[in-house]
């Protein structure tokens, strides 16, 4: 809208237009060059431009995760690698939403690793999650014992092993 048109509006109409703009912004939309765009789309476009990437380099599943990260107001710099699979990007997002530093992620009692330096396979992600889970502090000694008992039950017994009390 040009200034001349705006000047002709009554104070009530100006107030109504301003309130509509505020409501649109609070809903995640802004007006750019006379078109409404989501704030997330602007953030994604800027992040891709800063990284020297274009959206055509990414697969639709990756783009979906990138927009989800933008809407969650996460650091998009970590997602600007088209070699990362969508599952890898989701793993990064999970860790960022949990408040963890993805460039120095604890995956053991003393071991740390960056999960944004290079692409990870699903198997590598699964192993990292397992290590992180084992390294988390337990609620109590009893909970730790129950977990070890479950792990021992998963291991198949050899035929020559002695049976525990109560087993047939």
């Amino acid at each position: 809208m040009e200034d001349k048109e705006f000047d002709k509006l009554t104070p009530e109409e100006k107030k109504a237009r301003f309130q509509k703009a505020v409501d649109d912004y609070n809903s995640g939309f802004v007006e750019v060059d006379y078109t409404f765009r989501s704030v997330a789309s602007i953030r994604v476009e800027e992040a891709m431009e800063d990284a020297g990437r274009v959206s055509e380099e990414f697969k639709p599943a990756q783009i979906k995760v990138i927009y989800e990260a933008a809407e969650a107001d996460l650091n998009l710099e970590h997602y600007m690698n088209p070699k990362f699979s969508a599952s890898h990007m989701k793993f990064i997002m999970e860790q960022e939403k949990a408040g963890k530093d993805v460039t120095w992620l604890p995956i053991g009692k003393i071991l740390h690793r960056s999960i944004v330096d290079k692409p990870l396979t699903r198997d590598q992600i699964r192993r990292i999650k397992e290590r992180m889970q084992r390294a988390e502090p337990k609620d109590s000694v009893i909970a730790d014992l129950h977990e070890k008992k479950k792990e021992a039950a998963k291991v198949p017994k050899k035929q020559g092993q002695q049976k525990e009390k109560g087993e047939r």
Side-chain angles (χ1 to χ4, degrees), residues 90-150:
K90 286 179 184 176
F91 178 57
I92 294 169
M93 188 181 343
E94 287 172 11
Q95 300 310 312
E96 284 189 320
K97 282 183 175 180
K100 297 181 181 173
D101 180 7
V102 293
T103 61
W104 191 247
L105 192 65
I107 58 168
K109 292 187 179 184
I110 57 171
L111 185 61
H112 289 75
R113 180 174 182 180
S114 172
I115 60 170
V116 294
D117 285 344
K118 62 181 184 175
L120 299 174
T121 64
R122 288 179 191 247
D123 190 47
Q124 289 172 319
I125 293 169
R126 182 188 51 77
R127 285 193 310 239
I128 289 171
K129 285 181 179 180
E130 287 173 358
R131 286 184 190 158
M132 289 171 59
Q133 192 173 18
R134 282 193 306 253
E136 287 179 358
K138 305 294 183 252
D139 292 338
S140 67
V141 175
I142 296 172
D144 192 32
L145 289 173
H146 286 297
E147 188 174 313
K148 285 182 181 178
K149 193 174 185 180
K150 285 179 187 176

Side-chain angles (χ1 to χ4, degrees), residues 37-90:
R37 295 187 52 202
S38 70
V39 176
S41 69
I42 294 170
R43 288 191 66 226
V44 169
E45 186 179 289
E46 288 174 354
M48 285 192 183
E49 188 177 303
D50 291 346
R53 302 281 181 196
V54 291
S55 61
E56 289 79 22
E57 293 180 65
F58 296 90
K59 295 177 183 166
Q62 293 170 312
I63 293 289
K64 184 178 176 184
V65 176
I66 292 170
Y67 273 90
E68 203 175 315
E71 289 170 359
D73 203 27
L74 301 176
N75 183 355
L76 297 181
E77 192 176 306
H78 302 304
Y79 302 87
M80 293 297 120
N81 187 342
K83 292 180 182 176
F84 288 175
S85 66
S87 59
H88 183 183
M89 290 179 177
K90 286 179 184 176

